[in-house]
Amino acid sequence: MEENKVSLSKPVAMIACIAMTLFYVAILYAPTLILRLPPPQSFKNFMIRRFICAAISSFASVIFCALVLPIRSGEASYLFGVYGIRSDHIWQAVLFPLFLTNLMYAGSLMLKSILLVNKWKEHRNQDGRPLLCSIKSTLLSFSDQMSSVASNVLFWRNLVVAPLTEELVFRACMIPLLLCGGFKAYNVIFLCPTFFSLAHLNHMMEIYGRHNYSLVKASMVVGLQLGYTVIFGSYASFLFVRTGNLIAPLVAHAFCNYMGLPVLFVPRKGIVSVAFVAGMISFALLLFPITRPDLYNDRTNNCRCWQGYCSWN
């Protein structure tokens, strides 16, 4: 592998990742604590302000990472490639990880299907309309719901801003730094989510203050969230290292944010648990075959230090 030697020291890589984590969280509070701006008049304005802060943090991290990494070419396509931002193998990077992620939510998808069918049957029995009319009404209703959701600021936070900015900082920037710092791919997959989960510690004070939870209850809520972010962060890091493409963890992140926690069990609906178990078994069996580096790259040798998929061959 070309430039396989360590290009950065491990302490430098670690300090750089810690600095980006702290900056990503700190800048969210900069408008009120540093700039002394008045509090937002609405929740929408509050979220828009945070969107701007997250975008600034992501841009700063990309520039900072480019200065720290041993990048010798100034070409835009080369720089974007360092962060996994590529125009090749797009459909593989979208469809394969999305299919793989769906398997973890087989129970949730089965439950949604059951509820959708029951709702459709209920409407059909009440209206007494023909099958085609019922289907048309259901599709129009779904279209209206999607239109209202798209105008919701939480939709943009969960499915666009959070996945894009977090994947840029905690995957596209940090993973190349850690790999070039000499950390093995397996270590990076479990180390990088640590920074990702620490960035969510700020939620504890927000939950404790806004929802009037006790410190113990707030700790339990945040602890569950941190556990989930560590698990998901490991999976997203795995996708980035294996594929070398930022789109892979990005689509997985957006889908997981949309679905929430997987459904494991529903009373009197054993088929949901069966679907969950079958989905997880399929996920485990397909995890490595469906993320083979050669599916996402024209070549998997003669790579730079930040391209971790080379070491998987």
Side-chain angles (χ1 to χ4, degrees), residues 88-106:
D88 61 291
H89 299 81
I90 289 181
W91 74 266
Q92 293 95 329
V94 172
L95 294 182
F96 291 163
L98 190 58
F99 169 74
L100 191 64
T101 308
N102 266 271
L103 293 176
M104 292 191 294
Y105 287 91

Side-chain angles (χ1 to χ4, degrees), residues 47-65:
M47 292 307 304
I48 291 175
R49 182 181 289 186
R50 286 212 157 184
F51 292 169
I52 296 172
C53 292
I56 293 173
S57 174
S58 301
F59 180 76
S61 294
V62 168
I63 299 300
F64 174 71
C65 185

Side-chain angles (χ1 to χ4, degrees), residues 64-85:
F64 174 71
C65 185
L67 295 175
V68 176
L69 283 171
I71 301 175
R72 296 172 183 165
S73 176
E75 296 180 6
S77 60
Y78 186 87
L79 289 172
F80 286 141
V82 173
Y83 303 112
I85 304 173

Side-chain angles (χ1 to χ4, degrees), residues 294-309:
D294 60 285
L295 293 176
Y296 306 87
N297 303 276
D298 292 326
R299 61 187 180 88
T300 55
N301 57 2
N302 199 29
C303 297
R304 306 290 180 179
C305 62
W306 48 77
Q307 294 170 323
Y309 55 80

Side-chain angles (χ1 to χ4, degrees), residues 126-143:
Q126 289 177 351
D127 299 340
R129 290 180 295 180
L131 176 62
L132 291 178
C133 292
S134 298
I135 294 176
K136 182 179 179 180
S137 176
T138 301
L139 291 176
L140 290 175
S141 175
F142 177 76
S143 177

